[in-house]
Protein backbone atom coordinates (compact mmCIF):
# COMPACT_ATOMS: atom_id res chain seq x y z
CA UNK A 1 0.00 0.00 0.00
CA UNK A 2 1.27 3.49 -0.75
CA UNK A 3 2.88 5.52 2.01
CA UNK A 4 1.45 9.00 2.33
CA UNK A 5 4.03 11.92 2.11
CA UNK A 6 4.38 15.77 2.13
CA UNK A 7 4.52 18.39 -0.69
CA UNK A 8 1.59 17.58 -2.84
CA UNK A 9 -0.97 19.75 -4.45
CA UNK A 10 -3.88 18.19 -2.57
CA UNK A 11 -2.28 19.01 0.79
CA UNK A 12 -1.64 15.35 1.52
CA UNK A 13 1.85 13.85 1.14
CA UNK A 14 3.02 10.47 -0.09
CA UNK A 15 5.36 8.22 -2.00
CA UNK A 16 4.21 5.42 -4.24
CA UNK A 17 5.34 2.09 -5.52
CA UNK A 18 8.14 -0.23 -4.59
CA UNK A 19 11.68 1.12 -4.20
CA UNK A 20 13.63 1.56 -7.43
CA UNK A 21 16.59 -0.81 -7.73
CA UNK A 22 19.65 1.36 -7.15
CA UNK A 23 23.22 0.61 -8.16
CA UNK A 24 26.06 2.25 -6.17
CA UNK A 25 28.59 3.87 -8.45
CA UNK A 26 32.04 2.29 -8.21
CA UNK A 27 34.48 4.51 -6.32
CA UNK A 28 31.74 6.75 -4.91
CA UNK A 29 29.93 4.92 -2.09
CA UNK A 30 27.87 8.01 -1.17
CA UNK A 31 26.54 8.23 -4.71
CA UNK A 32 23.51 6.32 -5.97
CA UNK A 33 22.02 6.16 -9.44
CA UNK A 34 18.68 5.22 -10.94
CA UNK A 35 17.28 5.41 -14.43
CA UNK A 36 13.78 6.56 -15.26
CA UNK A 37 11.15 3.89 -15.84
CA UNK A 38 9.38 2.86 -19.02
CA UNK A 39 5.80 3.52 -19.98
CA UNK A 40 3.53 0.76 -21.24
CA UNK A 41 0.20 2.55 -21.69
CA UNK A 42 -1.15 5.85 -22.95
CA UNK A 43 -3.45 8.41 -21.39
CA UNK A 44 -3.24 12.03 -20.21
CA UNK A 45 -0.93 14.36 -22.11
CA UNK A 46 -1.01 18.16 -21.74
CA UNK A 47 2.26 19.09 -23.45
CA UNK A 48 2.95 21.54 -20.61
CA UNK A 49 2.93 19.93 -17.16
CA UNK A 50 4.89 22.72 -15.44
CA UNK A 51 6.03 26.25 -16.23
CA UNK A 52 7.67 29.15 -14.44
CA UNK A 53 5.46 31.90 -13.02
CA UNK A 54 6.00 35.64 -13.23
CA UNK A 55 6.93 36.36 -9.61
CA UNK A 56 10.68 36.40 -8.91
CA UNK A 57 12.52 38.22 -6.13
CA UNK A 58 16.14 38.60 -5.04
CA UNK A 59 17.02 37.15 -1.63
CA UNK A 60 20.04 36.83 0.65
CA UNK A 61 21.60 40.18 -0.29
CA UNK A 62 21.86 39.14 -3.91
CA UNK A 63 23.14 35.61 -3.18
CA UNK A 64 20.10 34.04 -4.79
CA UNK A 65 16.54 34.47 -5.97
CA UNK A 66 13.13 32.95 -5.32
CA UNK A 67 10.60 32.20 -8.02
CA UNK A 68 7.27 30.42 -8.46
CA UNK A 69 6.08 27.51 -10.60
CA UNK A 70 2.69 26.44 -11.91
CA UNK A 71 1.59 22.84 -12.44
CA UNK A 72 -1.24 21.56 -14.62
CA UNK A 73 -2.83 18.95 -12.37
CA UNK A 74 -6.11 18.77 -14.25
CA UNK A 75 -8.02 21.38 -12.25
CA UNK A 76 -9.56 24.64 -13.43
CA UNK A 77 -6.52 26.59 -12.22
CA UNK A 78 -2.88 25.44 -12.02
CA UNK A 79 -1.34 24.47 -8.69
CA UNK A 80 1.31 26.89 -7.47
CA UNK A 81 4.67 26.41 -5.77
CA UNK A 82 5.94 29.69 -4.32
CA UNK A 83 9.33 30.96 -3.22
CA UNK A 84 11.59 28.12 -4.36
CA UNK A 85 15.13 29.44 -3.87
CA UNK A 86 17.90 29.23 -6.48
CA UNK A 87 21.56 30.26 -6.43
CA UNK A 88 22.18 33.61 -8.12
CA UNK A 89 24.28 32.22 -10.97
CA UNK A 90 21.99 29.30 -11.76
CA UNK A 91 19.48 28.90 -14.57
CA UNK A 92 15.89 27.78 -13.99
CA UNK A 93 14.71 25.07 -16.40
CA UNK A 94 11.21 23.60 -16.65
CA UNK A 95 10.54 20.66 -18.97
CA UNK A 96 7.64 18.39 -19.86
CA UNK A 97 8.92 15.02 -21.07
CA UNK A 98 6.93 12.15 -22.58
CA UNK A 99 7.49 8.80 -20.87
CA UNK A 100 9.86 6.98 -20.87
CA UNK A 101 12.24 9.77 -19.92
CA UNK A 102 15.70 8.34 -20.63
CA UNK A 103 17.41 10.04 -17.68
CA UNK A 104 19.83 8.54 -15.15
CA UNK A 105 19.70 10.40 -11.83
CA UNK A 106 22.45 10.31 -9.22
CA UNK A 107 22.58 11.40 -5.60
CA UNK A 108 25.59 13.61 -4.81
CA UNK A 109 26.91 15.47 -1.79
CA UNK A 110 26.95 19.29 -2.05
CA UNK A 111 28.69 20.49 1.10
CA UNK A 112 26.58 19.10 3.93
CA UNK A 113 23.53 18.61 1.72
CA UNK A 114 22.52 15.85 -0.67
CA UNK A 115 21.21 16.75 -4.11
CA UNK A 116 19.85 14.70 -7.00
CA UNK A 117 21.44 15.47 -10.34
CA UNK A 118 21.13 14.34 -13.94
CA UNK A 119 24.09 11.99 -14.41
CA UNK A 120 23.25 10.83 -17.94
CA UNK A 121 20.78 11.62 -20.72
CA UNK A 122 20.38 8.55 -22.90
CA UNK A 123 21.04 9.11 -26.60
CA UNK A 124 17.85 9.27 -28.68
CA UNK A 125 15.63 9.37 -25.57
CA UNK A 126 12.72 11.71 -24.95
CA UNK A 127 14.86 13.69 -22.50
CA UNK A 128 17.50 14.22 -25.18
CA UNK A 129 14.91 16.02 -27.30
CA UNK A 130 14.15 18.67 -24.66
CA UNK A 131 16.25 20.96 -22.48
CA UNK A 132 17.79 18.44 -20.05
CA UNK A 133 21.55 18.38 -19.50
CA UNK A 134 24.02 16.41 -17.42
CA UNK A 135 24.61 18.27 -14.15
CA UNK A 136 21.07 19.65 -13.86
CA UNK A 137 19.79 19.47 -10.27
CA UNK A 138 16.29 18.06 -9.79
CA UNK A 139 14.16 20.41 -7.64
CA UNK A 140 10.54 19.30 -8.29
CA UNK A 141 8.88 16.46 -10.19
CA UNK A 142 5.28 15.80 -10.98
CA UNK A 143 3.88 12.62 -9.44
CA UNK A 144 0.74 10.59 -8.85
CA UNK A 145 -0.47 10.54 -5.24
CA UNK A 146 -3.12 8.44 -3.58
CA UNK A 147 -5.53 10.72 -1.71
CA UNK A 148 -7.87 9.23 0.92
CA UNK A 149 -11.57 10.00 0.67
CA UNK A 150 -13.06 12.47 3.14
CA UNK A 151 -14.62 10.64 6.07
CA UNK A 152 -17.31 12.17 8.28
CA UNK A 153 -19.41 10.76 11.10
CA UNK A 154 -22.08 9.55 8.68
CA UNK A 155 -19.62 7.59 6.53
CA UNK A 156 -17.49 5.71 9.04
CA UNK A 157 -19.22 2.39 8.35
CA UNK A 158 -18.80 2.82 4.59
CA UNK A 159 -15.80 5.10 4.08
CA UNK A 160 -15.30 6.63 0.62
CA UNK A 161 -12.66 5.18 -1.65
CA UNK A 162 -9.30 6.82 -2.03
CA UNK A 163 -8.33 8.19 -5.44
CA UNK A 164 -5.14 8.67 -7.42
CA UNK A 165 -4.52 12.24 -8.57
CA UNK A 166 -1.83 14.23 -10.37
CA UNK A 167 0.45 16.06 -7.96
CA UNK A 168 3.96 17.41 -7.51
CA UNK A 169 6.81 16.43 -5.20
CA UNK A 170 9.58 18.79 -4.03
CA UNK A 171 12.90 16.92 -4.18
CA UNK A 172 14.95 19.21 -1.94
CA UNK A 173 16.55 17.24 0.91
CA UNK A 174 14.32 14.24 0.30
CA UNK A 175 15.66 10.66 0.36
CA UNK A 176 16.80 9.50 -3.05
CA UNK A 177 14.50 6.46 -2.97
CA UNK A 178 11.44 8.58 -2.29
CA UNK A 179 12.18 11.00 -5.13
CA UNK A 180 12.67 8.09 -7.53
CA UNK A 181 9.38 6.58 -6.31
CA UNK A 182 7.66 9.90 -7.02
CA UNK A 183 8.91 9.80 -10.61
CA UNK A 184 8.03 6.14 -10.91
CA UNK A 185 4.50 6.83 -9.64
CA UNK A 186 3.50 8.12 -13.09
CA UNK A 187 2.93 4.47 -13.99
CA UNK A 188 -0.09 4.51 -11.65
CA UNK A 189 -3.29 5.55 -13.51
CA UNK A 190 -5.03 8.66 -12.19
CA UNK A 191 -8.75 8.67 -11.53
CA UNK A 192 -10.80 10.85 -13.88
CA UNK A 193 -14.53 11.26 -14.60
CA UNK A 194 -13.92 9.04 -17.64
CA UNK A 195 -12.22 6.33 -15.61
CA UNK A 196 -8.56 5.57 -14.80
CA UNK A 197 -6.02 7.03 -17.22
CA UNK A 198 -2.24 6.86 -17.26
CA UNK A 199 -0.16 10.03 -17.32
CA UNK A 200 1.96 10.10 -20.48
CA UNK A 201 4.36 12.83 -19.40
CA UNK A 202 6.52 13.99 -16.51
CA UNK A 203 7.09 17.61 -15.52
CA UNK A 204 10.45 18.54 -13.99
CA UNK A 205 11.86 21.72 -12.43
CA UNK A 206 15.66 21.74 -12.78
CA UNK A 207 18.40 24.04 -11.53
CA UNK A 208 21.30 24.40 -13.95
CA UNK A 209 24.60 25.69 -12.55
CA UNK A 210 26.12 28.33 -14.84
CA UNK A 211 29.25 29.20 -12.88
Amino acid sequence: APIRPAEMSCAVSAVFGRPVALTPRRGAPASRRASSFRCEAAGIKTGKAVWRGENTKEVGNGEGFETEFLFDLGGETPAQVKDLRFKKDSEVVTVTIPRPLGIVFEEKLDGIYQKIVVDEVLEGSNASKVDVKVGDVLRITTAVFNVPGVIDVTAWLNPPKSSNCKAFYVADQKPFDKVMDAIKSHAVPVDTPDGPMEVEEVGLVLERPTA
Side-chain angles (χ1 to χ4, degrees), residues 83-132:
D83 302 333
L84 195 67
R85 180 172 293 199
F86 291 79
K87 296 178 181 179
K88 69 173 182 178
D89 294 325
S90 63
E91 179 183 352
V92 177
V93 179
T94 61
V95 291
T96 299
I97 313 173
R99 298 170 53 220
L101 306 187
I103 301 174
V104 176
F105 291 100
E106 182 174 19
E107 184 181 50
K108 291 186 176 181
L109 189 65
D110 183 12
I112 63 173
Y113 299 106
Q114 295 284 347
K115 62 183 180 180
I116 297 173
V117 303
V118 175
D119 186 62
E120 184 180 355
V121 179
L122 302 183
E123 185 177 353
S125 67
N126 288 324
S128 71
K129 301 170 187 175
V130 297
D131 191 17
V132 178

Side-chain angles (χ1 to χ4, degrees), residues 12 22 26 67 78 95 144 176 198:
V12 185
L22 305 174
R26 189 169 299 175
T67 189
V95 291
V144 175
F176 184 75
E198 285 206 9

